[in-house]
Amino acid sequence: SKKSSSLKKIKGLIICSSSSVMTKRFASNKFDKDLYYKLLDSEDKILKLSNKLKKPLLIIQPSLIYGNVGEFKDKNINLIISLMRNMPFVFLPSNSGMRQPIHASQLAEFVFLKFRLIKEKTFKRKQKVLLGGDFIFSYENMLKKIQKALPEDDKAKKCKIIIINRRLFFFLVSPLNLISPKWFESLLRINSDLAGFEKVSKLM
């Protein structure tokens, strides 16, 4: 923004933000609250910059991203796999929340499609998109799908998924609030529905 004259040749802006700007809006722990405000502030600054430059803008707020590309690995699914490799079992609340993960390659494909539209000057608006994958399933089913996709000799396959009463689950994880409010709230979100986003195939 300080050197906007050097940006005149830019045809448009495609920004990858995060669905956390929606899902962590009402978080109570400081880490997630700060993340929400940083995302919101950043998106607002980008919007003002695009208005100043009079250029099209697309802000993508993707859901849970998964997939490995070379040395780069997602921080979500790989963390879950790591935990299951080191634990004989995991507890999940009954009726766990819904998820709509998107593969990194799908997100990249969507970005390149929009890039071509901007290059061809057929995308002229300013837009925010809450973007998710094509399939929606419960947190429990997501863990089972992860296990099924792993090699037969992977330790995570032996981790048992135990479903317990939702109130009992909340009671068992409650001491974690004293140690790490961030991790406590992340476990509470297992029961939240973080789905219903725009399906990537529909927008493609």
Side-chain angles (χ1 to χ4, degrees), residues 34-192:
D34 287 348
L35 175 63
Y36 162 71
Y37 285 114
K38 284 178 183 177
L39 286 168
L40 199 65
D41 182 55
S42 298
E43 288 186 1
D44 185 53
K45 285 176 179 175
I46 290 290
L47 180 61
K48 287 177 180 177
L49 178 61
S50 74
N51 286 334
K52 186 177 181 180
L53 295 171
K54 297 180 180 179
K55 302 292 183 181
L57 169 68
L58 173 64
I59 296 178
I60 305 169
Q61 299 168 330
S63 63
L64 183 72
I65 302 172
Y66 71 100
N68 302 331
V69 182
E71 63 183 278
F72 299 101
K73 298 181 178 181
D74 72 75
K75 295 179 181 179
N76 302 304
I77 303 301
N78 278 285
L79 175 61
I80 292 171
I81 293 171
S82 179
L83 289 171
M84 290 197 294
R85 281 172 180 161
N86 293 285
M87 299 174 70
F89 57 84
V90 292
F91 289 124
L92 285 184
S94 54
N95 300 315
S96 57
M98 307 304 288
R99 294 295 185 272
Q100 192 179 352
I102 182 170
H103 196 276
S105 63
Q106 288 180 302
L107 177 57
E109 200 175 346
F110 179 75
V111 169
F112 277 115
L113 171 66
K114 295 301 179 181
F115 164 75
R116 287 196 298 271
L117 294 178
I118 286 176
K119 189 179 179 182
E120 295 164 5
K121 297 182 179 181
T122 55
F123 184 93
K124 298 180 180 180
R125 58 191 183 278
K126 294 177 180 14
Q127 183 183 16
K128 287 187 182 182
V129 176
L130 268 169
L131 189 67
D134 294 333
F135 302 101
I136 298 173
F137 30 73
S138 68
Y139 200 94
E140 178 191 352
N141 285 335
M142 184 176 76
L143 293 193
K144 289 178 179 178
K145 285 179 180 294
I146 290 170
Q147 284 184 317
K148 189 177 180 181
L150 293 170
E152 287 302 321
D153 58 346
D154 197 297
K155 291 181 180 179
K157 275 190 174 288
K158 296 180 180 179
C159 180
K160 295 190 180 298
I161 301 169
I162 302 173
I163 308 301
I164 60 174
N165 179 274
R166 187 170 58 176
R167 291 183 181 180
L168 177 59
F169 177 83
F170 292 154
F171 173 75
L172 291 174
V173 301
S174 58
L176 189 59
N177 195 26
L178 298 173
I179 304 168
S180 173
K182 175 181 178 290
W183 278 98
F184 173 66
E185 286 197 41
S186 69
L187 289 174
L188 291 186
R189 280 196 297 273
I190 289 175
N191 211 57
S192 302

